[in-house]
Every structure is written in structure tokens, then in C-alpha cells.
């Protein structure tokens, strides 16, 4: 009987030691992985709110697709997760922010609107204007949004055709919409009724499309006469906008004065070029020249 009692005691001691050993072992590997995942911070560190959604959400999607789906590595994603917007668009440095302009000049007294090709300002800004509406480059919409680029689009109804949706997208990301006639005729010498129909007709068209009546008018080819100014005034336009610099064939040409950009210059970007470069590519070249002169881009409507 005694040997049985001894054996029973030894067995009980062994069982108790085994339980203690099992209790002291590390947690199951799966549990350790779950604990690590719960306590970790993911690939790019803790998710934190930013101006374009949570850090790590990749607001503009992968660089090569231009997608806006979450999870990409686009320009506004986490630090180090892709190029900054200015680099994506071929610039060596960000565009300097435009200064806050002084209060816009008061509306002119009743009469003929002024003809403007250069804005008198001490601000180191120039103004980018685009004519007609023939080019509907989707990457240009991305460029305007990502660079917060203030541009003025002077649209001709017969040129835009069924593409007003493209310009609605541009308007939604900050572009302004202005008047460039219904059918793009050379206005100088035409009777008042014909000029008024071209200008007021496009005012009505743009109001129906965008819910606004433009304040600025650009005559096709830059040609006008006193009748043009009368018709523009009667159609509710406050200024006739020409340009001092034109970006054509990869170069800037100037209508008068020194052959370099100056603060207050209005720059015209005509539709299409023989080079075949896209509107976004041509705008990049122009922005490099603007930065090279120590200038930035202002919003024309803030100054007129």
C-alpha cells in the first residue's frame, strides 16, 4: 500500500509541474501576431488626419494612373509615398502663393469698358488665359486642381461644341469661365447688331451652362472697334481683355515693350500647337519661365 501512495504522490507532483510549465509558455503565435497588428502603426506610421483625408489614404491614387481611389501613393499621400504635385508636373519648386490682392477696383462708370493687356500692380504676378476651348486635356484639369492654378478660360460656343462638361470640371477646381463669342468671328467692322448677338449670345449660353454671367470678354484674334466696346458694355461685360505675352510654339512673344515677362502681364495660351504638345505640357513650360523670372500666377478676376 505504501508504494502505491508514493506512486500516486509522484504522479500528482508531475501533473502539477506540467501545468505550471504550460502556463509559463509564450502566447500562441497567432495571438502574438494579432497583438502585434493591433499595437502596430502600419507601413507609413499612425494614420492621422490631413487636408486631403487620412494620411496613408493616397487621395490622388497611384502616380501612373492618375486615379483618385484610396490606397494609392499619389501626390497627397504619406510623406515619401510619391512625388509632390509640383514635381509630378515637371516643376523644380512649388509655385509661390500669389499675394492677397488689394480690393478690386470699383466698377467703371457707365460707358465703354477698358481694354486691358497688362494690369498695373506691384504684385509679382502674371495671369494665365486660355482661348477658344478646342483642347480638352483631362490632365490639365488635374494640373489646375493639384497646383491650385488660377486660370481664366475664354470660351467660344462653336469651338467647345459638346464639351462643356470638361469646362464644368475645370470650373469646379477653380478655373474661371469668360466670354469669347458664340462663333469666333473677327468683330471689327461688323454692324452693332451682329456684334451684340455674338457677345450677348455667349453670355446667355455660359449662364445656362455654368450659372454665371462672365465679367470679362476677349474678342477673337484680339481685333475690335468702338462698336465692339459698346456691344460688350450692353451685354454686361466690365473689361475687354487682350494680352501682352503669347505662349506659342514653345516660346513667348510680346506685343509691346521689353521681351520678358513683367509683373502684371496677361499671357494668352492659344489652342493647340504644331509641336503636338498637350495643354498640360505647354503650361508646364510656361510655368518654368514664370518661376525663372521670380514671378507667380495670380487670379485675373481679382485684379479687374
Amino acid at each position: 500500500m505504501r508504494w502505491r501512495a508514493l506512486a500516486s504522490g509522484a504522479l500528482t507532483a508531475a501533473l502539477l509541474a506540467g501545468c505550471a510549465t504550460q502556463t509559463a509558455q509564450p502566447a500562441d503565435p497567432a495571438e502574438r501576431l494579432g497583438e502585434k497588428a493591433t499595437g502596430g502603426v502600419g507601413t507609413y506610421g499612425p494614420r492621422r488626419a490631413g487636408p486631403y483625408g487620412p494620411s496613408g489614404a493616397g487621395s490622388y491614387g497611384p502616380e501612373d494612373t492618375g486615379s483618385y481611389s484610396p490606397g494609392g501613393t499619389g501626390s497627397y499621400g504619406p510623406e515619401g509615398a510619391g512625388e509632390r504635385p509640383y514635381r509630378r508636373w515637371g516643376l523644380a519648386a512649388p509655385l509661390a502663393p500669389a499675394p492677397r490682392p488689394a480690393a478690386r477696383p470699383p466698377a467703371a462708370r457707365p460707358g465703354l469698358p477698358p481694354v486691358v493687356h497688362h494690369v498695373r500692380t506691384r504684385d509679382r504676378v502674371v495671369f494665365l488665359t486660355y482661348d477658344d476651348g478646342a483642347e480638352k486635356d483631362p490632365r490639365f484639369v488635374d494640373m489646375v486642381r493639384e497646383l491650385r492654378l488660377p486660370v481664366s478660360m475664354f470660351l467660344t460656343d462653336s469651338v467647345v461644341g459638346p464639351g462643356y462638361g470638361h469646362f464644368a470640371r475645370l470650373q469646379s477646381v477653380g478655373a474661371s469661365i469668360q466670354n469669347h463669342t458664340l462663333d469666333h468671328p473677327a468683330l471689327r467692322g461688323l454692324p452693332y447688331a451682329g456684334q451684340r448677338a455674338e457677345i450677348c449670345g455667349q453670355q446667355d449660353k455660359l449662364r445656362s451652362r455654368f450659372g454665371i454671367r462672365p465679367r470679362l470678354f476677349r474678342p477673337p484674334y484680339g481685333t475690335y472697334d468702338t462698336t465692339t466696346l459698346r456691344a460688350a458694355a450692353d451685354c454686361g461685360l466690365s473689361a475687354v481683355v487682350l494680352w501682352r505675352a503669347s505662349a506659342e510654339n514653345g516660346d513667348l512673344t510680346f506685343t509691346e515693350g521689353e521681351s520678358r515677362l513683367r509683373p502684371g502681364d496677361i499671357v494668352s495660351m492659344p489652342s493647340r500647337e504644331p509641336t503636338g504638345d498637350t495643354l498640360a505640357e505647354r503650361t508646364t513650360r510656361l510655368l518654368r519661365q514664370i518661376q525663372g523670372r521670380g514671378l507667380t500666377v495670380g487670379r485675373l478676376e481679382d485684379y479687374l
Side-chain angles (χ1 to χ4, degrees):
M1 294 296 291
R2 183 176 180 181
W3 66 267
R4 289 181 178 176
L6 290 173
S8 176
L11 179 60
T12 300
L15 289 173
L16 290 173
C19 290
T21 301
Q22 184 176 7
T23 302
Q25 286 178 348
D28 183 79
E31 293 177 2
R32 293 199 303 274
L33 288 174
E35 180 180 334
K36 183 177 181 181
T38 302
V41 293
T43 306
Y44 293 112
R47 292 173 66 85
R48 56 189 182 276
Y52 296 95
S55 186
S59 304
Y60 284 102
E63 180 72 20
D64 59 343
T65 63
S67 164
Y68 306 125
S69 59
T73 57
S75 302
Y76 291 106
E79 187 71 28
E83 296 180 326
R84 288 295 168 266
Y86 65 91
R87 290 180 182 163
R88 175 179 177 180
W89 298 109
L91 302 179
L95 280 171
R100 183 182 297 276
R104 198 170 66 209
R109 294 190 299 270
L112 301 183
V115 178
V116 183
H117 66 275
H118 175 91
V119 175
R120 297 184 62 181
T121 179
R122 294 183 179 180
D123 295 344
R124 295 192 62 78
V125 295
V126 296
F127 308 100
L128 302 190
T129 64
Y130 295 77
D131 291 353
D132 305 337
E135 291 181 89
K136 303 170 183 67
D137 180 0
R139 282 181 58 78
F140 183 66
V141 180
D142 295 340
M143 182 183 219
V144 170
R145 177 184 57 246
E146 293 186 18
L147 296 180
R148 295 172 174 81
L149 194 62
V151 296
S152 304
M153 314 301 295
F154 287 85
L155 299 183
T156 295
D157 181 66
S158 63
V159 177
V160 174
Y164 274 103
H166 171 82
F167 295 98
R169 288 188 289 276
L170 269 171
Q171 184 194 36
S172 73
V173 298
S176 78
I177 304 297
Q178 305 297 342
N179 189 326
H180 198 41
T181 72
L182 281 173
D183 298 306
H184 209 271
L187 295 175
R188 186 167 57 199
L190 294 181
Y192 172 82
Q195 295 204 40
R196 181 187 172 98
E198 281 288 337
I199 300 170
C200 287
Q202 183 65 341
Q203 285 288 89
D204 295 339
K205 179 74 70 172
L206 295 176
R207 182 178 183 180
S208 69
R209 293 284 185 173
F210 300 101
I212 52 99
R213 290 185 70 84
R215 294 189 301 105
L216 307 181
F217 172 65
R218 172 165 286 168
Y221 314 106
T223 63
Y224 67 96
D225 56 19
T226 303
T227 302
T228 309
L229 303 183
R230 285 178 49 218
D234 292 345
C235 295
L237 291 150
S238 59
V240 173
V241 178
L242 302 183
W243 59 90
R244 196 184 84 85
S246 179
E248 298 184 71
N249 301 322
D251 295 313
L252 280 174
T253 59
F254 297 85
T255 60
E256 62 177 32
E258 57 187 315
S259 296
R260 61 176 185 168
L261 285 172
R262 302 181 307 188
D265 277 349
I266 298 172
V267 184
S268 169
M269 180 74 77
S271 291
R272 296 198 172 100
E273 277 192 356
T275 61
D277 292 338
T278 67
L279 194 58
E281 290 168 341
R282 288 155 49 206
T283 300
T284 293
R285 281 202 307 268
L286 177 57
L287 292 176
R288 288 171 182 160
Q289 294 182 68
I290 291 169
Q291 289 183 313
R293 292 283 299 142
L295 302 167
T296 192
V297 181
R299 184 175 299 281
L300 181 60
E301 295 71 20
D302 291 343
Y303 289 80
L304 293 180

